[in-house]
Amino acid sequence: MSGAEFVFGSKPIDIASGDGVTLTDDEGNEYLDFGASYACAPLGHCHPDVTDAVAEQAAELTYVQGSYPVDVRTGLYDRLAALAPGDCEKVWLSNSGTEANEAALKFARHATGRSKLVATMQAFHGRTMGALACTWKDEYKEGFGPLAGDVEFVPYGDEEAMSEAVDDETAGVIVEPIQGEGGVNPAPEGYLQHVRDVTADAGAAMIADEIQTGVGRTGDLWAVEGAGVAPDIVTAAKGIANGLPMGATMVKPWVAADAGNHGSTFSGGPVPCAAASATLETLVAEDVPGNARDVGASFRAALDDLAAETGAIRDVRGRGLMVGVEVKTGANPVIGQLAMSHGVLALPAGRTVVRFLPPLTVTEEHTERVVEGLRDVL
Ligand SMILES: *Cc1c(COP(=O)(O)O)cnc(C)c1O
């Protein structure tokens, strides 16, 4: 770690390389990546399809500004339009999740001519001023105010509170189909449809933040599709380019028609576009979301058994390969022991939830190793 680093804390492992589900440190020790890539490597590390696409594009054309059509960018727009949930077929590309949400909030305000936003308690939407304003935890906001203002928070999953909060001054409601950082909290049955109904009635935009749940993670390409709901705006990032920086804001035509003046120099850079196209192509062709659904289901079933067996687990939550295990002790000691004694890298979601976001290509052999490791630690 460099002495110049001041934002991130330092983990005691120096990662040197990645291959599929495996990360290797500078001493040659191997780790199963069930969290270190933060949902950013759905195809696994250094997938050859993505690596080749990036290498070829980097040799061909690294950058040209977004108003110049480039095949690789046009191809990604078309691919995303075809894969987007519902008719969110107009696409804005950026470089991160928070930028995708920032654009979503701006578009919602402009297209409705209103300013009020509704977000949910425990939500995480990013760290730039607008996305941060819609993020719940004070810890992330302390000392950075004033933020974008005019955000009302309602309890996640509470239909009545949502109905009361949304009115004819509401520009948009931003909601995660499953809250990630907030503790792996799946929306209760019918909740997303309710959000859809009340926003439609009020003429407000429903914004689904699929930055963590999207790109196959929950077993469907988009979690809102699994829920049968068609939002006005869907945001994606994390896994969309298998580790290269890319955000996407996919919007319905009525939003795109009056979205206002927005832009970014690096929007749709050819190299990230090549990575995203290759990622989506392989993900769909090999039905990687189907693997996430199947392996995720058996993983959670094994974790439920472990909960019954050990009595050390309060709850097992999630869908597909977005899995949270609420432990009765703190999450961090469990995560530390999993890494050091079992070579399994996981991440926390709040103080008590151990979260698993592995590549979507993992097999039951991998998840069994994680369950064995957890059994030993708990
Ligand atoms: C990670 C995340 C973000 C922010 O994405 P960044 O790329 O870190 O800016 C926003 N929303 C959700 C649900 C996330 O998981």
Side-chain angles (χ1 to χ4, degrees), residues 43 49-50 53 71-80 83 240-242 246 270-284:
L43 301 179
D49 294 353
V50 181
D71 279 357
V72 68
R73 180 188 296 132
T74 308
L76 178 61
Y77 280 133
D78 291 346
R79 195 183 292 280
L80 276 172
L83 295 176
I240 197 166
N242 210 49
M246 160 102 20
V271 176
C273 280
S277 260
T279 301
L280 292 168
E281 184 176 0
T282 300
L283 194 93
V284 171

Side-chain angles (χ1 to χ4, degrees), residues 96-98 101 124-126 176 181 209 211-212 238:
S96 65
T98 198
N101 281 341
F124 183 85
H125 297 296
E176 296 156 272
E181 308 299 312
D209 177 346
I211 290 164
Q212 196 160 139
K238 290 205 161 80

